[in-house]
Amino acid sequence: MTLKHRLADASYWVYDRMRHRSAFESAAQPGMAPDFAGLREHKYALLVTFRRDGTAVPTPVWFGLIGDRRFVTHTEERTAKVRRIRRDPRARVFPCDPRGKPLGPGVEATARILETAEEREQAEAALDSRYGRTRRVYDKVMVDQRDMVYLELAPVA
């Protein structure tokens, strides 16, 4: 295991322990917003994916928006949320604070892993325009770029 993987694992552990308890309560509630427009003023989003038994699992993430109907984020391929999305593309997204405390209504969505280079470049541009240098420094220190996948969520019609 590389040093970056160990650092990432340590940060995942810390963030899991810091998660706001209302994140789990809200994650179980259906989303009511029609699109991602309500996320524009927020810096974090609570990405909710589902276990095999239907349990909602909330994770605060950095995100980018492409219009009001495309939400993008990136994460390591080895994370549980990626495995859950591969198995079940249902997801929910809520605006939140860094600890995952929901700050507004959620959106029911369908998630997919971006496959083409063009899609990944678009997602990277959306993330970079939102977070800039802060995210680039974090990624350089904490993330092995070869292990990253980009996720795109679209609101359920």
Side-chain angles (χ1 to χ4, degrees), residues 44-107:
Y44 299 91
L46 191 66
L47 172 60
V48 179
T49 55
F50 297 90
R51 291 187 178 136
R52 286 183 203 276
D53 66 2
T55 303
V57 181
T59 307
V61 296
W62 282 347
F63 66 95
L65 295 174
I66 303 170
D68 290 339
R69 304 205 45 84
R70 291 176 63 201
F71 172 102
V72 293
T73 189
H74 79 314
T75 187
E76 287 185 283
E77 187 166 14
R78 65 192 183 96
T79 60
K81 67 181 153 286
V82 172
R83 290 192 302 271
R84 289 189 293 268
I85 286 170
R86 285 187 199 278
R87 190 186 65 259
D88 181 357
R90 288 180 310 133
R92 289 187 186 124
V93 179
F94 296 84
C96 72
D97 70 5
R99 291 184 55 211
K101 179 181 178 183
L103 300 174
V107 178

